[in-house]
Amino acid sequence: MAPTPVTDRGFGPARHAELALLLEVAGTPKPGNVDRRHDLPDLHFEHFLTGAVGSAEGLSLAESGAPVGTAFETAVAGMSRQGGGNTQFGCLLLLVPLVEAAAAGELSPNGAADVAEATTIDDAVNFYRAFEHVDVAVGDAPDAAADLDVRRGGDAEPALRDRGYTLYDVMELSADRDANAREWTGGFARTFRAADAIRADDGPVTDRVARAFLDLLAEEPDTLVVTTHGESVARDVMARAADASTLAEAGELAADFVADGINPGTTADIVCAATFVALERGVPL
Amino acid sequence: MAPTPVTDRGFGPARHAELALLLEVAGTPKPGNVDRRHDLPDLHFEHFLTGAVGSAEGLSLAESGAPVGTAFETAVAGMSRQGGGNTQFGCLLLLVPLVEAAAAGELSPNGAADVAEATTIDDAVNFYRAFEHVDVAVGDAPDAAADLDVRRGGDAEPALRDRGYTLYDVMELSADRDANAREWTGGFARTFRAADAIRADDGPVTDRVARAFLDLLAEEPDTLVVTTHGESVARDVMARAADASTLAEAGELAADFVADGINPGTTADIVCAATFVALERGVPL
């Protein structure tokens, strides 16, 4: 006899966040991304498992109320101790404020927005430092903000302090072109909506994750695809995701996207954050 | 450019043990077991991911030197908070003393034997209590030891105290018919040997894990297969594992074993423990 699925695991937010990292990468097919059934040439499933375990210390700091920037940089440093490179930078950027909101008993769009808006200049500095641990694909900074290019890492500290930019301000700077920054400045709207979809869906959590990914991918251009392949390819990816109405059709897309080097990583970040919210609010597993 | 694999992750023993739980279940094909590419009807990959994260608190207790029985019972309780049932009871039974040995700087056959031999009656009681958290497939206890049947859970406490049995003594009682108990009473011999094989092997860790599994399966009858299908089926499984000389051939075996309900879970436990030792001693990832 099969045991009954468990909805309340008694996990704290940090453990749920770690589990969300694992369930996100286990969800298959997520076309173009590493998942349980797909590796990329230099980025493998086991790198994500290792990245998730390595993130745990930083996630635990977030649960205990450490500053967002400190928790995030610690999580990224731990995540980076594997040979795949950037596995979950974007996931962690969304998870850390959500874990802080959950630990404060305020896991809601307003609660998450409060955490984001309360960030400081020090949080911004630690966010920049996190880029020193791992190579993250980002677009060029606007000319007016060249001294705030994230690729400068901790060297951007004087510019941040001169301008008095908090981490929230930094996110506002790129919210027009970065879907994760838009989550930060918009009360994590897509995250919470996708979490509701995951909870309302049926079947194994990993299938729910895959369907949520497909829906999000059809909804907006993926930021990482825009960065690496341009806006028109990202629009084409959206249209093709919209045409895939089943996980089987998504599986065919997966083969095409991997062949074309199309990796919708930002959409995976949002699915990961949504999985966290769904776990916190209750999803049987 | 692919980043360089990382051999020293700066993880403590508890995190390496959690990662070993994840890499073990990711290793594919492991014929008859759940792995990255195989589910069983009521036992899915995501149950193992959840079990691994749930085990972390108990593993962390082991790292901090808590009594073996306390750390084990806590790990099993956390592991059990998912709907698949028993995912990693046997893995944890091997991992907990190995984590304690590693935390003491003595991760060797002698160091692990010292931890096992130093266990107390309280450790035995907590081991029995762990059976209350999850349904574990075990053989019948000998008539002479009916009051020590593990299925009695904490009710066996008076019998344990009357006889003055430590957890090591309990393992000695079943060492002739249980491969995990034999690891406990024999300096974890197969675990350390398989760890050497994993480290000496080439390629992704998950492939190394799968090859180590196949070698161990060919070497001795799997205890869980003996318990559920009898000795002669277990001998047949050994012979068929010995005939599979590649992972592709092991993949064909996987389909056959799943169809026949053959689940060599004890061999997976030893591979998990070996993966932990390999991670501690250094394996690139």
Side-chain angles (χ1 to χ4, degrees):
Chain A
M1 196 187 67
T4 310
V6 174
T7 299
D8 175 9
R9 273 160 295 279
F11 285 9
R15 288 217 200 290
H16 266 157
E18 187 184 353
L19 182 56
L21 290 167
L22 295 169
L23 292 173
E24 184 279 312
V25 74
T28 186
K30 292 199 316 301
N33 282 275
V34 171
D35 66 32
R36 181 178 169 181
R37 295 186 192 279
H38 299 86
D39 285 320
L40 296 176
D42 295 320
L43 185 59
H44 304 160
F45 189 67
E46 63 264 30
H47 295 137
F48 284 79
L49 301 180
T50 310
V53 174
S55 301
E57 185 185 345
L59 293 168
S60 177
L61 284 177
E63 180 175 310
S64 60
V68 168
T70 306
F72 177 69
E73 194 206 343
T74 304
V76 169
M79 172 209 86
S80 306
R81 305 295 298 156
Q82 38 73 30
N86 178 16
T87 48
Q88 292 128 328
F89 188 99
C91 295
L92 293 169
L93 185 58
L94 300 179
L95 286 172
V96 166
L98 292 168
V99 167
E100 303 243 359
E106 299 287 348
L107 184 60
S108 64
N110 283 340
D114 287 348
V115 171
E117 287 165 19
T119 56
T120 63
I121 303 175
D122 284 342
D123 290 323
V125 170
N126 284 319
F127 168 71
Y128 272 74
R129 285 187 183 139
F131 285 87
E132 297 178 16
H133 298 295
V134 65
D135 212 8
V136 181
V138 290
D140 291 327
D143 286 345
D147 56 345
L148 291 178
D149 190 319
V150 288
R151 287 168 289 203
R152 298 189 65 210
D155 291 342
E157 178 169 356
L160 289 165
R161 297 206 182 276
D162 280 353
R163 301 192 188 201
Y165 278 172
T166 69
L167 181 48
Y168 183 85
D169 296 332
V170 170
M171 292 295 154
E172 268 198 323
L173 281 182
S174 50
D176 62 336
R177 63 184 187 286
D178 184 311
N180 284 345
R182 258 191 316 277
E183 290 301 287
W184 261 73
T185 58
F188 296 78
R190 297 176 77 201
T191 295
F192 281 98
R193 212 164 52 234
D196 287 343
I198 289 170
R199 293 188 69 208
D201 198 354
D202 289 319
V205 173
T206 48
D207 287 353
R208 300 177 189 217
V209 164
R211 281 188 287 265
F213 176 86
L214 203 61
D215 289 344
L216 286 166
L217 191 59
E219 179 183 278
E220 275 191 29
D222 183 89
T223 304
L224 183 58
V225 176
V226 173
T227 302
T228 51
H229 295 269
E231 180 80 22
S232 79
V233 171
R235 295 256 162 218
D236 179 58
V237 164
M238 273 178 69
R240 291 165 74 185
D243 285 344
S245 54
T246 65
L247 291 186
E249 287 173 14
E252 294 166 29
L253 261 194
D256 294 350
F257 284 0
V258 170
D260 293 343
I262 290 170
N263 172 215
T266 309
T267 304
D269 298 339
I270 296 172
V271 169
C272 179
T275 303
F276 167 73
V277 173
L279 288 169
E280 280 283 311
R281 291 183 167 182
V283 69
L285 190 64
Chain B
M1 195 187 68
T4 310
V6 174
T7 299
D8 175 9
R9 273 159 295 279
F11 286 9
R15 289 217 200 290
H16 267 157
E18 187 184 352
L19 182 56
L21 290 167
L22 294 169
L23 292 173
E24 184 280 312
V25 73
T28 186
K30 293 198 316 300
N33 282 274
V34 172
D35 66 32
R36 182 179 169 179
R37 295 186 191 279
H38 300 84
D39 286 320
L40 295 176
D42 294 320
L43 185 58
H44 304 160
F45 190 67
E46 62 264 30
H47 296 137
F48 285 78
L49 301 180
T50 309
V53 173
S55 302
E57 185 184 346
L59 294 168
S60 177
L61 285 177
E63 179 176 310
S64 60
V68 168
T70 306
F72 177 69
E73 195 207 343
T74 304
V76 169
M79 173 209 86
S80 306
R81 305 294 298 156
Q82 38 72 31
N86 178 17
T87 48
Q88 292 128 328
F89 187 99
C91 294
L92 292 170
L93 184 59
L94 300 178
L95 285 172
V96 166
L98 292 168
V99 166
E100 304 244 359
E106 299 288 348
L107 185 60
S108 65
N110 283 339
D114 287 347
V115 171
E117 288 165 17
T119 55
T120 63
I121 303 174
D122 284 342
D123 290 323
V125 170
N126 284 317
F127 167 73
Y128 272 74
R129 286 187 182 138
F131 285 87
E132 297 178 15
H133 298 295
V134 67
D135 213 9
V136 181
V138 290
D140 291 328
D143 286 345
D147 56 345
L148 292 177
D149 191 319
V150 289
R151 287 168 289 202
R152 299 189 65 211
D155 291 343
E157 177 169 355
L160 289 164
R161 295 205 184 278
D162 280 354
R163 301 192 187 200
Y165 278 172
T166 69
L167 181 48
Y168 183 86
D169 296 332
V170 169
M171 292 295 154
E172 268 197 323
L173 281 183
S174 51
D176 62 337
R177 63 184 188 286
D178 184 311
N180 285 344
R182 255 189 321 275
E183 289 301 286
W184 260 72
T185 57
F188 296 78
R190 298 176 76 200
T191 296
F192 282 97
R193 212 163 53 235
D196 288 343
I198 289 171
R199 291 189 70 209
D201 199 352
D202 288 317
V205 173
T206 48
D207 287 353
R208 301 178 189 215
V209 164
R211 282 188 286 264
F213 176 86
L214 202 61
D215 289 345
L216 285 166
L217 190 59
E219 180 184 279
E220 277 192 28
D222 182 89
T223 303
L224 183 57
V225 176
V226 173
T227 302
T228 52
H229 295 268
E231 181 79 23
S232 79
V233 172
R235 295 258 162 216
D236 179 57
V237 164
M238 272 177 70
R240 291 164 76 185
D243 285 343
S245 54
T246 65
L247 290 186
E249 287 172 14
E252 293 166 30
L253 261 194
D256 294 349
F257 284 1
V258 171
D260 293 343
I262 290 169
N263 171 215
T266 309
T267 304
D269 298 339
I270 295 172
V271 170
C272 179
T275 304
F276 167 73
V277 173
L279 287 169
E280 281 284 312
R281 292 184 167 182
V283 68
L285 190 64

